Amino acid sequence: MKKILFTTLLASYAGLVMAQDIIANNAWARFSVSGMSSSGVFMDLDNHSGKDDVLLSASSPIAKSSEIHETVEVNGVMKMRPLAHGLSLPARQVTQLQPGKMHIMLLGLKKPLVKGTTIPIRLTFRHAKPVTLNVPVSVAPVTKTDPTMPEHSHMHH
């Protein structure tokens, strides 16, 4: 009986791990004020799968649209541009979305993003199942030492 229970539990755990091929950690969205029409979302995307994947899109009901952006220098000027084919997520690596680098841009905010609240973000990948996160709104990156914020974003499949 114990062997059957152990095998069942092990199979359930393996299914849970397989369902979370890509895990988002340290997610946060930059607060906004009245009149601001856009904001950025940042996180670490940890690709636990054995194959390369691509973050194809992100969406949130709090914005009219969103784009995956990179910041590049063009003739001495920093510019943001959308990644038309998504963001590559190499197998068994962590890809960081950070201010001034790669990030998710929320465009056409329907209301200001208030510090201390959370917003839903849905991430769509080429291979992994879509993930919905409840992302904390902050002024700066959420740190593990900040007792007011969860250590990891909450994920739903």
Side-chain angles (χ1 to χ4, degrees):
M1 182 68 173
K2 288 182 182 177
K3 187 175 182 180
I4 292 171
L5 179 60
F6 176 75
T7 303
T8 303
L9 289 172
L10 185 61
S12 297
Y13 176 74
L16 175 65
V17 171
M18 289 175 62
Q20 294 183 350
D21 288 338
I22 298 177
I23 297 175
N25 290 308
N26 306 314
W28 66 285
R30 181 165 286 153
F31 83 102
S32 66
V33 295
S34 185
M36 288 178 67
S37 62
S38 63
S39 186
V41 178
F42 315 96
M43 65 189 74
D44 297 334
L45 292 173
D46 191 347
N47 184 351
H48 285 274
S49 76
K51 62 182 172 183
D52 294 346
D53 209 332
V54 176
L55 174 61
L56 296 173
S57 65
S59 61
S60 178
I62 58 99
K64 291 180 183 172
S65 65
S66 63
E67 296 176 349
I68 302 163
H69 277 191
E70 68 176 341
T71 305
V72 294
E73 185 178 334
V74 178
N75 297 326
V77 177
M78 299 304 287
K79 295 186 177 196
M80 287 186 291
R81 67 178 179 197
L83 295 172
H85 302 291
L87 174 62
S88 295
L89 303 172
R92 296 183 182 92
Q93 290 188 28
V94 175
T95 302
Q96 295 182 323
L97 281 68
Q98 302 175 326
K101 299 189 183 204
M102 294 176 286
H103 58 278
I104 296 167
M105 199 74 199
L106 300 175
L107 305 167
L109 292 175
K110 296 177 181 176
K111 62 181 183 177
L113 303 185
V114 178
K115 182 182 179 212
T117 63
T118 61
I119 59 169
I121 302 284
R122 181 178 171 91
L123 305 177
T124 303
F125 305 95
R126 179 169 290 148
H127 302 293
K129 292 181 181 180
V131 172
T132 299
L133 307 169
N134 291 315
V135 177
V137 176
S138 182
V139 176
V142 175
T143 63
K144 290 182 172 81
T145 58
D146 184 346
T148 64
M149 291 296 188
E151 185 171 322
H152 300 287
S153 298
H154 189 67
M155 298 175 33
H156 299 282
H157 290 280

